[in-house]
Amino acid sequence: MIKYTFLIVLLFSIVLPAQKDTLKSEAFKNSRPKKVSYFKAKYPSYSLLAGYILVNEANRGDPFAQHELGIRYLIGKGFEPDTVKAIYWIRKAADQNLAAAKYNYGILLYNGIGVPWNPFESFYNFKSAAELGMPEAQFALGIMYTDNLVVSRDYSKAYAYIRKAAKAGYDPAKELEEEFRNKGLAPAVDSSIAAEQQKTAEPAPVINTDWDVDYISLENDTSLTDKERISNLLKKNKYELRDYLGINAPADSLKDTTAYGLIKYAAENGSPEALLLIAASYEQGLWHKKDLIQAGINYLNAYRFGSYKAGERLFRLIQSESLLESLKNKIKAGDSHAYYFMAGIRALEMTNIITLKDAVDYLNKAAEKNYVPALIELGLLYSTGAVAQKDINKALAFWKTAQKLGSVEAEIRIAFTTLVDPALTTYENNSFEILKKYSDEGSVLAQTYLAYCYEKGISVKEDKATAVKLYRMAARRGNETAYNALKRMYDELRPPDDTFLIYSER
């Protein structure tokens, strides 16, 4: 039992209450998400009409007027913003089979805007609009066939719908069609979809909005070497690099906006992408002097935050006899880095040259020297009761020490633990704001914890749609815990309809 629980603590160190789903995430973040915006209708028949005429036409049952009126209530153009009225009129138009209205209603359902979050009802609305020939809906429907959450993953159908949207001239679909081809995900077009008659949907221009359907890319690009990949990243401007690293903090809060400065900043705040880059740099001697132990520690930490690519690289790295020999020598010399690294790879069962008891002893020895990663891991052991009786106060004591030494991860874990445990009132302060702050600064751990707070209504009004958005952002960065939480939320709402059965890929 000790062996199993210790492995779980070190391997999945983002701990959410009652998370038991072990489905491995295939989400990753190589490509920026392809987004779908909602439609703002600007029909010539109504764009210049006075408000009372528009209301009159809507009341007479004109679906174009109903949709236009709903959008105006939604964005506050010509009317006081009123989400309830907006939903009422958009749905009235959708019930009359207006493609743009069905599409917009699908967007609102998907994002929980004015209506309860319901991606399954959203799917039906997108499908109806897609069948009416709306490229944006075809694109959204195609995306839903990629992530194995609403419907079972089907690249053939996904590509077919995306290709139809691209043929209709929708630029995001053109980009995604090319990405499918580049990644070898472009199967033959489903003949049943290809044979559908292309209908003409009602024209309506797209406007920018944050109410989006996004795409989780599912395949890694293994054709580049580390040096080439890092070189390509350095060619990005600082905004693109911040996006890649998951940094949403205001630019004026960043002291060093050089490429390395951003990567270092993100790594310190728990970005698995940044940790993976630093690990590769140590392994290859790119930015840093070559140091396989430091490479291994950074791979280990990236893996803890959800990067399975880092796990694969870590396993490959420790096959080196010279590395293991160096590790043994440094342990004899009492090196804290070596203690932590050896404990980590033993817990992951990547080596059996020490026992699990030895691994815990190594963590304690490193913690006695105030080695921050060891302090955090010991806190996790006590917070979960993995190797000793569960003791939250001991866990918090370890994390408090690490926090005083400058650990962002420790601060995040303290904040989350005090939020979810009502008994810890003495710690209550600005915990929720701490999670928001570090989520914006690139911490996938804070992002996942923040999502859980929104999902369960902890220190904030329950908001399933925001929880889904945050979980999805973390899953897109490769975090398994977030993906599993996302999948659980979908499964809890999943209708008893064969359309939404998810088939195992194992």
Side-chain angles (χ1 to χ4, degrees):
M1 180 64 182
I2 290 176
K3 174 180 177 181
Y4 175 76
T5 53
F6 188 85
L7 174 62
I8 291 298
V9 168
L10 197 57
L11 178 56
F12 301 114
S13 57
I14 299 177
V15 181
L16 296 181
Q19 304 296 304
K20 296 182 179 179
D21 193 332
T22 58
L23 179 65
K24 181 175 178 180
S25 169
E26 294 186 64
F28 87 116
K29 77 312 176 186
N30 265 5
S31 303
R32 296 185 64 182
K34 308 301 185 296
K35 295 185 175 181
V36 179
S37 299
Y38 80 97
F39 264 58
K40 176 187 176 185
K42 286 185 178 179
Y43 301 106
S45 304
Y46 300 110
S47 61
L48 299 178
L49 291 180
Y52 74 92
I53 298 178
L54 186 60
V55 171
N56 186 53
E57 293 295 320
N59 281 318
R60 288 174 59 187
D62 187 322
F64 293 94
Q66 291 170 341
H67 184 225
E68 175 79 16
L69 184 58
I71 293 297
R72 290 194 183 193
Y73 272 123
L74 191 67
I75 64 177
K77 184 176 180 182
F79 297 88
E80 283 295 315
D82 188 324
T83 305
V84 173
K85 289 181 179 179
I87 297 299
Y88 173 81
W89 287 113
I90 291 172
R91 186 165 185 175
K92 289 275 282 186
D95 288 344
Q96 295 202 64
N97 222 30
L98 186 69
K102 282 185 171 292
Y103 173 79
N104 274 339
Y105 189 53
I107 289 288
L108 298 176
L109 286 162
Y110 189 89
N111 292 280
I113 305 296
V115 289
W117 171 71
N118 192 326
F120 303 100
E121 191 176 347
S122 175
F123 174 88
Y124 280 132
N125 279 272
F126 287 151
K127 191 171 189 295
S128 293
E131 289 170 350
L132 289 167
M134 178 168 281
E136 291 79 4
Q138 292 162 352
F139 178 63
L141 195 62
I143 287 172
M144 282 188 162
Y145 277 107
T146 68
D147 62 15
N148 226 34
L149 292 170
V150 175
V151 289
S152 199
R153 181 175 295 131
D154 187 328
Y155 286 132
S156 179
K157 286 185 178 180
Y159 182 70
Y161 280 116
I162 290 163
R163 188 163 180 247
K164 284 186 80 171
K167 280 187 169 183
Y170 189 49
D171 288 338
K174 292 178 183 177
E175 294 174 16
L176 190 51
E177 181 185 18
E178 183 178 355
E179 184 175 331
F180 262 59
R181 287 175 177 168
N182 291 340
K183 294 181 182 297
L185 298 175
V189 178
D190 186 306
S191 58
S192 64
I193 296 174
E196 288 179 2
Q197 181 180 0
Q198 181 73 37
K199 301 175 184 178
T200 303
E202 303 80 15
V206 176
I207 65 172
N208 292 328
T209 175
D210 288 333
W211 304 345
D212 296 315
V213 176
D214 56 24
Y215 166 64
I216 297 182
S217 189
L218 298 162
E219 300 291 336
N220 256 319
D221 182 1
T222 58
S223 62
L224 300 177
T225 65
D226 285 338
K227 189 172 182 179
E228 290 169 334
R229 188 173 290 106
I230 290 174
S231 176
N232 287 344
L233 280 173
L234 294 180
K235 292 175 184 176
K236 294 179 180 289
N237 63 47
K238 63 182 179 182
Y239 301 105
E240 291 174 322
L241 187 57
R242 284 177 59 187
D243 183 66
Y244 174 84
L245 297 170
I247 300 173
N248 297 314
D252 56 10
S253 69
L254 304 174
K255 295 179 181 178
D256 184 352
T257 57
T258 64
Y260 183 71
L262 289 172
I263 291 168
K264 186 171 181 290
Y265 172 87
E268 290 170 351
N269 287 297
S271 164
E273 300 91 339
L275 288 163
L276 185 61
L277 288 170
I278 290 175
S281 175
Y282 273 115
E283 183 180 6
Q284 304 296 332
L286 300 174
W287 286 320
H288 306 85
K289 182 179 178 181
K290 189 170 182 178
D291 186 329
L292 296 186
I293 291 179
Q294 283 300 323
I297 289 171
N298 279 280
Y299 281 137
L300 176 61
N301 289 335
Y303 187 45
R304 290 171 66 253
F305 290 130
S307 172
Y308 274 82
K309 187 176 182 181
E312 293 168 358
R313 285 169 169 259
L314 177 62
F315 181 77
R316 184 201 66 205
L317 184 71
I318 64 173
Q319 304 311 305
S320 166
E321 290 293 333
S322 62
L323 169 63
L324 292 178
E325 193 60 35
S326 173
L327 201 52
K328 290 176 186 177
N329 292 334
K330 286 183 178 292
I331 285 172
K332 288 179 182 177
D335 184 89
S336 295
H337 298 285
Y339 281 142
Y340 173 72
F341 186 35
M342 182 65 87
I345 60 176
R346 176 60 185 91
L348 296 176
E349 296 188 334
M350 291 185 178
T351 183
N352 59 3
I353 60 178
I354 63 168
T355 65
L356 282 169
K357 182 180 180 301
D358 290 333
V360 177
D361 288 342
Y362 285 170
L363 288 176
N364 277 305
K365 288 178 180 179
E368 288 168 4
K369 298 182 179 183
N370 282 337
Y371 185 66
V372 168
L375 289 164
I376 291 172
E377 289 302 330
L378 286 169
L380 282 164
L381 296 181
Y382 280 105
S383 73
T384 58
V387 296
Q389 186 174 357
K390 184 174 179 178
D391 190 329
I392 294 298
N393 287 318
K394 277 190 177 181
L396 288 168
F398 278 115
W399 290 336
K400 279 285 185 182
T401 302
Q403 182 189 11
K404 289 176 182 176
L405 294 168
S407 170
V408 169
E409 180 182 347
E411 187 176 358
I412 291 168
R413 291 196 182 281
I414 292 169
F416 181 70
T417 302
T418 57
L419 279 174
V420 298
D421 191 338
L424 300 172
T425 53
T426 55
Y427 285 91
E428 188 131 355
N429 43 36
N430 60 336
S431 296
F432 187 79
E433 286 70 28
I434 288 171
L435 295 184
K436 287 181 68 175
K437 174 180 182 291
Y438 288 119
S439 175
D440 285 344
E441 292 182 3
S443 169
V444 73
L445 177 65
Q447 203 169 60
T448 305
Y449 282 163
L450 190 62
Y452 186 82
C453 289
Y454 276 106
E455 181 192 352
K456 302 299 182 182
I458 299 171
S459 201
V460 69
K461 183 179 178 182
E462 182 181 297
D463 187 339
K464 301 290 188 184
T466 297
V468 166
K469 182 177 181 180
L470 288 164
Y471 279 139
R472 185 174 282 270
M473 288 168 66
R476 201 164 56 225
R477 298 172 67 190
N479 184 267
E480 180 179 39
T481 301
Y483 184 86
N484 287 339
L486 189 64
K487 181 178 179 296
R488 172 180 48 74
M489 287 188 69
Y490 277 80
D491 287 345
E492 288 172 355
L493 193 64
R494 193 174 302 281
D497 184 330
D498 288 350
T499 301
F500 303 117
L501 284 177
I502 301 295
Y503 299 99
S504 172
E505 297 186 323
R506 296 182 178 182

